[in-house]
């Protein structure tokens, strides 16, 4: 039996003590688990052998030889993240520090996605495949699934995904079938988590990530906490009307932002290879492309101005394949935003560091926030734990414990 085969029991308690960022000696672990020193040593040895712990230094003692100190070994801590898209499913295996160990993209039958049982089966298959492949080398802590729609995270219920034509589908059954803790969230929330977790922005940063895919969603992070709203609908900016009375939307309304700035809107104007056409022709004066592009930037700016009026964030991040355009997207967007500077002044706009995998990455990373009770997504604790302390070998006495 591998040391992590059970989420119950003393060994996982030992592991969780270390996951809270502690540097602990064998004596301290023995006190924490209320067992003998040899029992504590055997748990530590097993976790060391599994690659989950490593020596971090030595604790000076007033008499006798110094005691070895141990800490978590992040490279072995991993999770599976899945992003569901109407046409494909992207699954990744990632480390707690954001390293991506594996990624698999599989096309799915878009006409069947509206059948919840089919969708659940493809998600289960994607998770099982990566779990089987990696669980001998890595501690797969959990799996997260990002879906384009309104998600009741607590009950693992997909409330409504207009672009999947799927409503009120519970993934509670899937959670029971998988031998892993399962998390489900909106794809833009997941992308915001992935971006924030792996970025170097200060912890207090307020950020809105705009996920531009088939539809448009947004993840709102205020001081490290995802804002989901009373009924899980916060950040549904894709369905904010920017031009009344025109362009019907799958949500039943008209003039929704995503009808102007989603990938689907670009494909309607520029054909299936819309993003590739933009990459090739934005700068070369092709009138059919430049007129679409000018209107696109204008529509994108209107939405961001509205978001700025609601939230006034420090940072707006754009993800999705349009973000591959980099500065060729950001520069005209900043110019458009500067025209209404009283709303958007001082707001930094950038493209995602992971434009095409942010949702899957965030879905994987969100599983770790659940492992650490009470930690939520507070970046100071999370990143201090895995960045600063990993490189620190200095001894700080018992203040580590906890
Ligand atoms: Zn809509």
């Amino acid at each position: 039996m591998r040391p992590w085969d059970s989420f119950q029991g003393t060994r996982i308690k030992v592991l969780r003590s270390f996951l809270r960022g502690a540097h602990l000696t064998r004596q301290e672990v023995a006190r924490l688990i209320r067992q003998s020193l040899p029992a504590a040593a055997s748990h530590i040895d097993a976790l060391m052998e599994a690659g989950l712990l490593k020596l971090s230094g030595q604790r000076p003692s007033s008499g006798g030889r110094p005691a070895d100190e141990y800490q978590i070994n992040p490279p072995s801590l991993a999770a599976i993240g899945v992003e569901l898209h109407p046409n494909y499913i992207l699954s990744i295996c990632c480390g707690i520090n954001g390293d991506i160990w594996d990624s698999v993209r599989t096309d799915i039958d878009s006409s069947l996605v509206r059948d919840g049982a089919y969708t659940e089966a493809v998600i289960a298959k994607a998770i099982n495949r990566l779990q089987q492949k990696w669980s001998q080398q890595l501690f797969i802590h959990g799996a997260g699934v990002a879906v384009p729609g309104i998600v009741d995270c607590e009950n693992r219920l997909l409330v409504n995904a207009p672009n999947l034509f799927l409503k009120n589908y519970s993934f509670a059954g899937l959670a029971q079938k998988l031998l892993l803790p399962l998390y489900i969230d909106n794809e833009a929330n997941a992308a915001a988590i992935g971006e924030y977790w792996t970025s170097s922005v200060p912890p207090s940063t307020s950020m809105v990530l705009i996920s531009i895919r088939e539809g448009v969603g947004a993840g709102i992070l205020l001081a490290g906490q995802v804002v989901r709203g009373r009924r899980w609908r916060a950040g549904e900016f894709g369905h904010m009307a920017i031009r009344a009375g025109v362009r019907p939307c799958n949500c039943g309304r008209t003039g929704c932002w995503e009808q102007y700035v989603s990938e689907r809107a670009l494909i309607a104007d520029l054909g299936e290879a819309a993003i590739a056409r933009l990459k090739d022709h934005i700068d070369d004066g092709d009138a059919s492309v430049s007129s679409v592009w000018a209107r696109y930037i204008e529509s994108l700016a209107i939405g961001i101005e509205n978001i700025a009026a609601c939230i006034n964030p420090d940072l707006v991040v754009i993800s999705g394949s349009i973000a591959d355009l980099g500065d060729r997207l950001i520069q005209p967007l900043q110019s458009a935003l500067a025209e209404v500077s009283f709303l958007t002044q001082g707001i930094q706009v950038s493209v995602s560091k992971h434009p095409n995998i942010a949702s899957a990455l965030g879905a994987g990373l969100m599983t770790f926030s659940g492992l650490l009770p009470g930690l939520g997504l507070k970046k100071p604790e999370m990143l201090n734990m895995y960045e600063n302390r990993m490189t620190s070998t200095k001894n700080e006495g018992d203040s580590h414990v906890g």
Side-chain angles (χ1 to χ4, degrees):
M1 185 166 161
R2 294 189 300 270
W4 51 79
D5 276 348
S6 167
F7 280 87
Q8 308 299 321
T10 308
R11 192 157 293 164
I12 202 75
K13 194 173 167 189
V14 173
L15 179 58
R16 286 185 177 183
S17 305
F18 283 104
L19 281 168
R20 293 193 189 102
H23 294 221
L24 299 169
T25 64
R26 290 168 184 231
Q27 289 83 353
E28 286 163 348
V29 169
R31 280 204 299 275
L32 278 170
I33 61 175
R34 297 167 197 259
Q35 290 190 3
S36 68
L37 187 58
S42 76
H43 288 302
I44 289 174
D45 289 347
L47 292 168
M48 287 278 285
E49 203 176 317
L52 291 170
L53 294 182
K54 65 178 183 181
L55 269 174
S56 64
Q58 291 198 311
R59 188 80 57 84
S61 74
S62 49
R65 60 189 281 269
D68 287 337
E69 226 183 28
Y70 302 86
Q71 66 177 167
I72 203 76
N73 187 25
S76 66
L77 265 176
I80 293 167
V82 172
E83 186 205 340
L84 180 66
H85 185 273
N87 303 312
Y88 65 87
I89 187 165
L90 174 67
S91 49
I92 66 159
C93 181
C94 66
I96 194 166
N97 52 6
D99 286 346
I100 292 170
W101 296 88
D102 202 353
S103 78
V104 183
R105 186 181 143 142
T106 311
D107 288 337
I108 57 176
D109 187 334
S110 59
S111 68
L112 294 178
V113 176
R114 65 187 70 196
D115 173 0
Y118 168 82
T119 302
E120 181 178 314
V122 294
I123 292 171
K125 194 173 168 190
I127 292 171
N128 285 332
R129 185 169 47 198
L130 284 177
Q131 192 186 9
Q132 280 168 14
K133 182 171 171 189
W134 288 98
S135 62
Q136 294 301 321
Q137 291 121 291
L138 301 169
F139 172 32
I140 306 289
H141 162 64
V145 179
V147 290
I150 296 162
V151 179
D152 172 345
C153 303
E154 278 170 19
N155 294 304
R156 301 189 185 96
L157 177 72
L158 176 55
V159 178
N160 190 6
N163 293 326
L164 302 177
F165 300 98
L166 199 54
K167 257 187 185 178
N168 292 321
Y169 190 82
S170 170
F171 287 93
L174 176 62
Q176 284 180 340
K177 276 180 233 158
L178 294 170
L179 297 171
L180 285 174
L182 179 71
Y183 294 73
I184 298 189
D185 204 340
N186 167 271
E187 62 91 15
N189 288 347
I193 291 167
E195 190 71 23
Y196 181 81
W197 197 303
T198 56
S199 76
S200 55
V201 297
S204 60
T205 303
S206 54
M207 182 183 100
V208 176
L209 180 136
I210 300 166
S211 178
I212 297 179
R213 318 300 292 263
E214 179 91 355
V216 173
I220 305 166
L221 266 159
L222 300 181
Q225 296 289 333
V226 180
V227 177
R228 294 189 170 89
R230 181 72 184 84
R231 306 292 292 169
W232 314 101
R233 284 151 171 86
E236 283 293 336
F237 294 123
H239 299 287
M240 143 179 88
I242 64 159
R243 299 189 208 275
V246 285
R247 292 205 188 179
C249 181
N250 287 344
C251 74
R253 303 167 75 243
T254 57
C256 292
W257 194 31
E258 72 176 33
Q259 298 306 320
Y260 299 88
V261 300
S262 63
E263 282 180 15
R264 203 176 39 218
L266 277 171
I267 287 168
D269 286 332
L270 293 173
E272 279 300 324
I275 305 287
R277 263 188 88 186
L278 284 171
K279 282 180 187 164
D280 291 343
H281 298 291
I282 282 179
D283 305 320
D284 68 7
D286 179 331
S288 64
V289 171
S290 59
S291 64
V292 169
W293 186 236
R295 203 164 60 241
Y296 183 87
I297 292 291
E298 182 197 50
S299 298
L300 194 54
I302 290 171
I304 293 173
E305 286 154 21
N306 290 344
I307 292 170
C310 294
I311 295 171
N312 189 28
D314 297 305
L315 177 63
V316 170
V317 179
I318 310 234
S319 92
S321 54
I322 193 78
D324 287 338
L325 288 165
D327 281 347
R328 293 197 293 169
L329 168 69
I330 295 303
Q331 281 176 2
L333 185 57
Q334 278 173 332
S335 302
L337 292 171
E339 290 173 19
V340 281
S341 61
F342 96 95
L343 283 177
T344 56
Q345 190 172 30
I347 295 176
Q348 191 190 335
V349 183
S350 67
V351 290
S352 167
K353 283 195 303 186
H354 321 279
N356 297 301
I357 57 153
S359 294
L361 178 61
L365 292 174
M366 73 174 67
T367 68
F368 297 116
S369 62
L371 183 64
L372 308 166
L375 195 59
L377 277 170
K378 286 198 191 314
K379 188 170 180 176
E381 294 151 279
M382 188 53 87
L383 286 195
N384 281 345
M385 185 161 65
Y386 292 105
E387 287 174 1
N388 304 341
R389 293 199 173 190
M390 287 305 103
T391 54
S392 165
T393 53
K394 72 177 198 285
N395 296 302
E396 293 171 24
D398 284 351
S399 62
H400 285 298
V401 181

